[in-house]
């Protein structure tokens, strides 16, 4: 167990570093491209990528997770996974190419034909990815994942920015996406050599695990992308550009704070899945730590949204401020249950995930339609806030079924993070209201720095006071202190 914890810790550091690096690069790219392109460009490309994402999800067979969960995969398992992935990608690419013209008529934009055709090539390329690369995750080895993610993002960023500077066209976004995909495929074979062959001998075995995950992926992807199609069709591409960019900025802080744990904890939970008490303890410790980091990041992003947009993207992007403010808080709140999926997957009860996603879908879609009808773009944003908060009870119920943890036991793991985030908001909101509107970069930068320092100090102080008042229980505070000690020891042992 000690060896697992040590490898898990190192793996999480690598994944966290990769997520930080890739999302810094992604944000830089977004801010830079937002200055060169117009919101309608982002909206047009978002339509193409959203359609492709939905079609991809409907046919996704979650073979990577099946390989990770398999106790002893053979070379034929990898050949089968590669064959199935490539066949699926080829069919999707052909269907997308055939539907390009009808989709352009439906969304009333002839440019969508060429965008979808190029993105179809990206889909075909993704089917060539190396299935063996996922085994590094299974073995809790993550430095290669760092290289893969960072390199792929860097290629996409460089290509997009160069093309945007030269042509100031939406094609910068499209070609950048394809270039990143091609780079990812090539690198996947560089980090884990593999010569694929066409075989389907283990198709039934791999499907037996991935079936429910496939259903989950279908429902989740439609659930999380339907709003973009709705906005694009009824409010236009400019509104969709605001919506997609605002959503991207809002989700990055809280999502990326928990993503390394989400990836690394699936194999870690799998190792203790047969011991319910150890699984419950591991989940409670990990989810408390995730919320303590991600929740204040989400709330903090909402608090600095206005000066951040003014500084990085300019006046034409001000409509995204409301979206960032609302959605960043929602994503921060949802981070408290970001580890439910790896927890349930580790126990093999993937039908619970499908049930949760189906319930969320049934609640979310009507709310989005109602929000759009009565409130336009802001109505869609508020509808997402309501639906996102409603999933709270679905998640707690699932955790209880898998681990036996009661509602109150789960709530205790998050109490201090929630209370400290409220204190942080109370300290920062009066300052933001007193600040004059400005588009001077220096004023915006100073305002962001002041808000971050004050909010961060308020959060840390409130957390420590509550922790000591509660007699220093086990939780994220104690875990963070242990992590700090481990980082110090790791750095001391690292070669100069």
């Amino acid at each position: 167990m000690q060896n697992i914890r040590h490898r898990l810790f190192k793996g999480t550091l690598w994944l966290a570093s990769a997520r930080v690096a890739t999302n810094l690069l992604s944000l830089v790219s977004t801010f830079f491209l937002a200055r060169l392109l117009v919101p309608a460009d982002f909206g047009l490309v978002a339509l193409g990528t959203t359609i492709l994402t939905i079609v991809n999800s409907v046919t996704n067979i979650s073979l990577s997770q099946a390989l990770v969960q398999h106790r002893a995969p053979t070379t034929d398992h990898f050949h089968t996974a590669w064959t199935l992935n490539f066949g699926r990608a080829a069919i999707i690419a052909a269907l997308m190419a055939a539907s390009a013209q009808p989709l352009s008529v439906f969304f009333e934009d002839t440019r969508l034909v060429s965008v979808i055709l190029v993105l179809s090539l990206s889909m075909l390329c993704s089917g060539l990815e190396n299935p063996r690369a996922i085994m590094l995750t299974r073995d809790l080895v993550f430095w290669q994942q760092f290289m893969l993610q960072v390199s792929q993002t860097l290629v996409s960023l460089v290509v997009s920015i160069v093309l945007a500077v030269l042509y100031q066209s939406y094609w910068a976004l499209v070609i950048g996406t394809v270039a990143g995909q091609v780079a990812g495929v090539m690198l996947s074979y560089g980090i884990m050599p593999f010569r694929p062959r066409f075989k389907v001998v283990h198709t039934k075995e791999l499907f037996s695990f991935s079936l429910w995950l496939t259903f989950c992926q279908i429902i989740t992807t439609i659930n999380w992308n339907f709003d973009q199609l709705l906005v694009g069709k009824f409010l236009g591409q400019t509104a969709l550009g605001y919506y997609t960019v605002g959503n991207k900025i809002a989700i990055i802080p809280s999502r990326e704070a928990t993503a390394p744990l989400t990836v690394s904890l699936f194999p870690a939970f799998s190792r203790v899945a047969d011991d319910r008490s150890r699984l419950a303890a591991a989940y409670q410790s990990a989810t408390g730590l995730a919320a303590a980091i991600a929740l204040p990041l989400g709330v903090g992003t909402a608090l600095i949204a206005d000066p951040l947009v003014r500084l990085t993207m300019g006046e034409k992007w001000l409509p995204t401020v409301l979206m960032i403010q609302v959605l960043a808080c929602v994503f921060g709140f949802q981070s408290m249950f970001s580890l439910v999926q790896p927890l349930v997957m580790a126990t093999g009860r993937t039908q619970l995930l499908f049930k949760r996603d189906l319930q969320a879908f049934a609640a979310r879609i009507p709310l989005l339609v109602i929000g759009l009808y009565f409130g336009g773009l802001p109505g869609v944003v508020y509808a997402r806030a309501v639906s996102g908060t409603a999933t709270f009870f679905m998640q707690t119920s699932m955790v209880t079924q898998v681990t036996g943890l009661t509602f109150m036991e789960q709530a205790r793991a998050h109490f201090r993070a929630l209370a400290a985030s409220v204190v942080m908001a109370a300290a920062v909101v009066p300052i933001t209201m007193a600040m004059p509107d400005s588009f001077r970069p220096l004023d915006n930068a100073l305002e962001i720095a002041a808000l971050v320092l004050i909010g961060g100090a308020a959060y840390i102080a409130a957390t420590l006071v509550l922790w000591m008042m509660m007699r220093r229980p086990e939780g994220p505070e104690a875990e963070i202190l242990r992590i700090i000690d481990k980082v110090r020891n790791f750095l001391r042992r690292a070669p100069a």
Side-chain angles (χ1 to χ4, degrees), residues 190-474:
I191 63 175
M192 182 69 79
F194 177 63
R195 182 176 294 180
R197 297 179 182 176
F198 287 98
K199 288 189 177 182
V200 292
V201 291
H202 293 291
T203 299
K204 184 177 180 180
E205 181 183 357
L206 293 176
F207 273 162
S208 64
F209 174 83
S210 62
L211 180 63
W212 286 109
L213 289 179
T214 299
F215 290 153
C216 290
Q217 186 69 23
I218 293 171
I219 294 297
T220 300
T221 302
I222 296 175
N223 195 8
W224 285 99
N225 290 276
F226 178 78
D227 49 350
Q228 298 187 40
L229 297 180
L230 201 65
V231 172
K233 172 61 179 176
F234 293 103
L235 299 181
Q237 293 172 4
T238 298
L240 181 57
Y242 291 138
Y243 186 70
T244 53
V245 171
N247 182 79
K248 180 177 182 179
I249 295 172
I251 197 174
I252 282 179
S254 52
R255 182 193 65 187
E256 301 312 318
T258 58
L261 280 173
T262 302
V263 175
S264 59
L265 282 175
F266 172 37
F269 283 156
S270 297
R271 293 172 182 261
V272 295
D274 296 332
D275 189 330
R276 199 180 193 194
S277 61
R278 291 174 69 192
L279 181 63
Y283 171 77
Q284 196 78 327
S285 175
T287 192
L289 177 61
I293 297 172
L295 183 56
L297 286 176
V299 175
T301 301
L303 294 172
I304 66 169
D306 186 76
L308 179 65
V309 170
R310 293 173 185 272
L311 174 66
T312 57
M313 298 191 292
E315 185 175 4
K316 66 183 177 182
W317 289 95
L318 282 179
T320 62
V321 171
L322 174 65
M323 297 162 212
I324 297 171
Q325 290 173 333
V326 175
L327 296 179
C329 290
V330 173
F331 292 135
F333 180 77
Q334 290 177 331
S335 70
M336 295 190 298
F337 295 96
S338 59
L339 304 184
V340 171
Q341 180 139 336
L343 171 73
V344 177
M345 285 171 58
T347 63
R349 301 175 64 180
T350 50
Q351 71 274 17
L352 292 177
L353 295 174
F354 174 70
K355 181 180 178 181
R356 176 203 63 181
D357 293 341
L358 189 60
Q359 290 172 339
F361 176 81
R364 192 171 188 261
I365 299 303
L367 284 172
L368 289 173
V369 174
I370 293 170
L372 177 70
Y373 183 80
F374 287 103
L377 190 57
V380 173
V381 174
Y382 289 125
R384 284 190 58 184
V386 173
S387 65
T389 306
T391 60
F392 172 81
F393 298 102
M394 302 177 197
Q395 305 277 32
T396 55
S397 175
M398 261 201 311
V399 173
T400 300
Q401 292 181 62
V402 173
T403 66
L405 291 168
T406 66
F407 174 84
M408 291 306 299
E409 287 173 331
Q410 295 177 56
R412 277 198 293 271
H414 304 131
F415 168 73
R416 292 187 296 280
L418 276 169
S421 296
V422 171
V423 172
M424 177 178 70
V428 170
V429 168
I431 300 173
T432 60
M433 295 177 66
M435 291 282 188
D437 292 339
S438 172
F439 285 99
R440 292 177 57 192
L442 181 59
D443 291 343
N444 299 142
L446 290 175
E447 182 179 351
I448 292 171
L451 296 179
V452 169
L453 288 173
I454 294 170
Y459 179 80
I460 293 171
T463 300
L464 292 177
V465 168
L466 288 169
W467 185 50
M468 290 186 287
M469 288 176 63
M470 298 173 71
R471 300 182 180 180
R472 303 186 179 187
E474 276 294 318

Side-chain angles (χ1 to χ4, degrees), residues 60-121:
N60 186 21
I61 43 183
S62 303
L63 296 179
S64 295
Q65 291 89 338
L67 291 172
V68 170
Q69 197 267 349
H70 198 285
R71 299 303 179 191
T74 65
T75 302
D76 281 346
H77 283 93
F78 298 121
H79 289 317
T80 301
W82 184 88
T83 302
L84 294 174
N85 276 331
F86 178 71
R88 181 183 69 91
I91 293 172
I92 293 175
L95 289 175
M96 288 297 296
S99 63
Q101 181 63 36
L103 287 170
S104 71
V105 173
F106 180 76
F107 287 102
E108 301 175 353
D109 194 326
T110 56
R111 296 176 300 171
L112 200 57
V113 174
S114 54
V115 169
I116 291 177
L117 288 175
V118 174
L119 290 175
S120 298
L121 294 178

